[in-house]
Amino acid sequence: MSTPTTTQTARRLGEAPPPDLLDEGERMSLDELRATQLERLRWSLRHAYENVPHYRRVFDEAGVHPDDCRELADLAKFPATTKADLRDNYPFGLFAVPQEQVRRIHASSGTTGRPTVVGYTSEDIETWARLMARSIRAAGGRPGHKVHVAYGYGLFTGGLGAHYGVEALGATAIPVSGGMTPRQVQLIQDFRPEIIMVTPSYMLTIIDEIEKQGLDPRSTSLQVGIFGAEPWTEQMRAEIEDRMDMHAVDIYGLSEVMGPGVAQECVETKDGLHIWEDHFLPEIVDPLDGTVLADGEEGELVFTSLTKQALPIIRYRTRDLTRLLPGTGRPAMRRMQKITGRSDDMIILRGVNLFPTQVEEIVLRTPGFAPHFQLELTTEGRLDSLTVRVEARPETTAERRTAAAAELVKAVKDTIGVSVSCEVVEPESLERSVGKLQRLKDRRSR
C-alpha cells in the first residue's frame, strides 16, 4: 500500500484491539481451548447422533458411536459430511431441533442442483452475531464505526450475517446490499463509513465506478474492507489497497458451517485467517482419499461445528484448499492460509491442474491489464482449449495490448505449464460482479 500522509495514518484502522475488548473465547490459553473443544465436540457428536437420523445411520454404518470420542484425534474415526448429504436430506432432514425452535432459514443459490438449506435457533443466531462481531473487531472495527454492508441480503448468509455482527459490535450497519453501483458510491460519499463488507470482485467494480464519476478512490472515508465469499489473491489485495489507500482483509465462512465469521484475518498481521476454534474444529484432509494431514500440509478443509443447535455439522468437506498454520494475532487459535482454490473449481486442461486464482495473479501483475477477466473453456477438435478474456485499461495502447497478451500467455505456460490463448477486450466490456464472481464459462461440447 502506498505510504499515506500523517493525517491518513492517524485515521487508519491497523492496530490490534486492546485486551479489554477481546471476548472470553479469544482470551483462552491453548490448554483451555483444547479442553473446551473436546467437551463441545463430544456434545455435538451426541446431539447429531441422537437427533438427526442421517447421522445415526452413517455413524452406525461406520461402526462408531459418540462415546468413542475420548480425545480430539478420535474425530477422524467418524464419517465425513458432503454437500450431497445436505441436498439428499433437503430441505430440513438434517435439522436437530423441532421446527418450532428454528428462528431462521438460509439457503445456498442452488445453481448446481437443490439448494443446501441451513437453520438457526435463537442461540445459534446469537452465537453467529458474536463471532461476526469478533471478526469485525479483528479487522479493525470498533463500536461507533459505520459499516457499509454490500453483501447480498436474503437467503444468502452474507448480508444478514454481517449485519447482525455489526450491531453486536456496537457499530452502525448501513444495509446497502449488492447492485446499483452508482448508488453504492453515493452512499459511501454521503454517509462516510469507515468499513465496507463486500466480495472482493465487486469492490473492484465499486472502485471503477468511483473513478468513472471523476472521484479519487483514495479520498473516501473507507479505512478497511472486509472481503469474502470467493477466493482472492495477494495481488488483488495489493490492487485494492493501492487504489483505495485502505486495509483489505479476508473473512471466511460458508452457510453449511454457519455463514461468514468462521475465520477472520487480523488487520495488524494480514497473514492468514484465524479460525474461531472455540466453535469450529478444523481438519485438513487429502482431497482424494480423506486421510487427515498434519498442520502445515495443504489439502481440503474440513469443519465440525462445536456449538450449533439447529444444524450440527460433522466433518463437513468444504472443497476449499488450504493449510493450517500456528496462530499469531490470536496465538491459541490456528490460522488457515488464504484459500488458493476449490477442488471442485479446478480446471484440468490437457492433464494440467489449473485454478482461476493462478491466472488472476498473472493478470494483476501484467502492465496494461485491468483486474477484470474471464476464463472460457471450449473444444477444438478433440482437445479442450482455454481462452483468457481480459480487459485492457483505458490508457493501454493497441501495441501494449498485443504485448501484454503475449506476456500473459508466456507467463501461464512458464508458471502453470499449459498453453492458453488471450483475448484482450475493451474496458468495461466484461460482466461485472455484484456478488460471488463466476470466473469460468464452460462452453465445451459434450
Side-chain angles (χ1 to χ4, degrees):
M1 185 163 58
S2 301
T3 304
T5 65
T6 302
T7 300
Q8 289 171 326
T9 301
R11 70 181 182 89
R12 294 297 162 198
L13 307 180
E15 297 181 356
D20 62 325
L21 279 185
L22 300 181
D23 63 37
E24 182 180 355
E26 292 174 280
R27 296 192 186 102
M28 285 186 187
S29 68
L30 182 58
D31 288 343
E32 290 172 328
L33 176 61
R34 292 291 177 258
T36 297
Q37 286 177 319
L38 182 58
E39 178 183 358
R40 291 177 172 179
L41 174 60
R42 298 183 71 182
W43 171 85
S44 192
L45 291 170
R46 287 195 305 272
H47 181 55
Y49 184 81
E50 293 171 359
N51 296 290
V52 183
H54 167 81
Y55 280 121
R56 177 179 288 272
R57 177 177 59 81
V58 297
F59 284 15
D60 288 348
E61 289 174 353
V64 292
H65 185 275
D67 291 345
D68 296 331
C69 182
R70 297 179 175 84
E71 57 185 39
L72 293 176
D74 289 335
L75 179 59
K77 301 174 183 177
F78 290 80
T81 305
T82 67
K83 183 165 286 191
D85 293 322
L86 275 79
R87 289 179 173 149
D88 290 346
N89 287 278
Y90 175 89
F92 308 135
L94 293 186
F95 285 12
V97 298
Q99 184 62 51
E100 58 267 23
Q101 294 181 24
V102 176
R103 292 295 173 266
R104 192 190 302 169
I105 291 172
H106 282 284
S108 70
S109 60
T111 54
T112 57
R114 285 179 170 178
T116 55
V117 178
V118 293
Y120 304 79
T121 66
S122 295
E123 190 168 331
D124 288 336
I125 293 173
E126 291 174 4
T127 298
W128 188 12
R130 289 197 304 271
L131 292 179
M132 278 301 301
R134 181 192 288 183
S135 297
I136 298 167
R137 185 173 59 244
R142 300 290 182 267
H145 285 156
K146 295 186 292 293
V147 183
H148 182 107
V149 181
Y151 288 121
Y153 281 66
L155 287 177
F156 172 59
T157 55
L160 283 170
H163 186 108
Y164 273 58
V166 171
E167 293 182 343
L169 179 65
T172 302
I174 305 173
V176 185
S177 193
M180 297 186 291
T181 309
R183 184 167 176 264
Q184 302 267 357
V185 174
Q186 178 187 344
L187 293 178
I188 290 169
Q189 291 295 111
D190 295 346
F191 293 177
R192 298 190 60 77
E194 290 86 0
I195 298 170
I196 186 168
M197 301 184 71
V198 64
T199 61
S201 55
Y202 190 44
M203 187 68 224
L204 290 173
T205 301
I206 292 173
I207 296 171
D208 288 346
E209 178 63 27
I210 294 173
E211 293 174 340
K212 185 178 178 181
Q213 293 185 19
L215 303 171
D216 179 7
R218 296 168 61 86
S219 69
T220 75
S221 60
L222 291 172
Q223 302 171 43
V224 171
I226 304 175
F227 304 122
E230 60 191 19
W232 56 298
T233 61
E234 289 299 321
Q235 284 75 14
M236 187 178 286
R237 189 205 302 270
E239 170 93 11
I240 293 171
E241 290 193 335
D242 183 64
R243 293 173 73 185
M244 287 294 296
D245 188 23
M246 68 187 292
H247 294 288
V249 294
D250 205 355
I251 189 171
Y252 177 86
L254 62 168
S255 60
E256 298 91 336
V257 175
M258 183 182 72
V262 173
Q264 174 65 48
E265 194 168 39
C266 300
V267 69
E268 69 271 20
T269 56
K270 295 182 191 172
D271 58 357
L273 300 100
H274 282 81
I275 298 169
W276 303 137
E277 287 199 68
D278 49 336
H279 292 271
F280 311 103
L281 187 60
E283 300 171 273
I284 298 293
V285 304
D286 185 301
L288 297 179
D289 62 18
T291 302
V292 177
L293 302 177
D295 286 5
E297 294 189 56
E298 185 173 74
E300 181 182 344
L301 181 62
V302 172
F303 273 116
T304 296
S305 65
L306 301 179
T307 57
K308 285 181 66 181
Q309 297 177 339
L311 185 76
I313 198 83
I314 307 301
R315 305 198 73 213
Y316 182 72
R317 296 191 60 162
T318 68
R319 299 298 179 188
D320 289 326
L321 301 176
T322 185
R323 69 184 77 232
L324 295 179
L325 303 168
T328 53
R330 303 292 187 280
M333 300 195 188
R334 286 171 290 181
R335 291 170 295 143
M336 52 182 273
Q337 189 178 60
K338 182 182 278 291
I339 298 296
T340 58
R342 292 176 52 84
S343 60
D344 54 3
D345 74 8
M346 181 177 70
I347 301 164
I348 303 177
L349 184 64
R350 297 188 291 278
V352 176
N353 297 343
L354 177 150
F355 291 96
T357 50
Q358 293 174 294
V359 178
E360 179 181 278
E361 291 177 353
I362 296 170
V363 168
L364 287 170
R365 67 173 183 250
T366 303
F369 283 161
H372 302 286
F373 72 97
Q374 284 183 343
L375 305 178
E376 186 172 88
L377 272 173
T378 55
T379 303
E380 295 182 3
R382 296 182 178 180
L383 297 176
D384 291 340
S385 178
L386 181 66
T387 299
V388 182
R389 304 180 70 236
V390 58
E391 288 183 10
R393 294 190 184 275
E395 70 275 9
T396 305
T397 65
E399 293 79 10
R400 179 58 207 155
R401 291 186 183 193
T402 301
E407 290 170 15
L408 181 141
V409 169
K410 183 178 185 300
V412 171
K413 181 65 173 177
D414 291 346
T415 60
I416 304 175
V418 68
S419 297
V420 301
S421 58
C422 179
E423 178 187 352
V424 184
V425 301
E426 294 299 314
E428 300 186 37
S429 61
L430 294 179
E431 178 184 355
R432 290 296 190 263
S433 165
V434 295
K436 290 189 178 183
L437 183 62
Q438 297 297 315
R439 288 285 192 201
L440 180 65
K441 302 289 185 181
D442 193 343
R443 306 189 191 282
R444 290 174 292 184
S445 57
R446 299 298 183 185

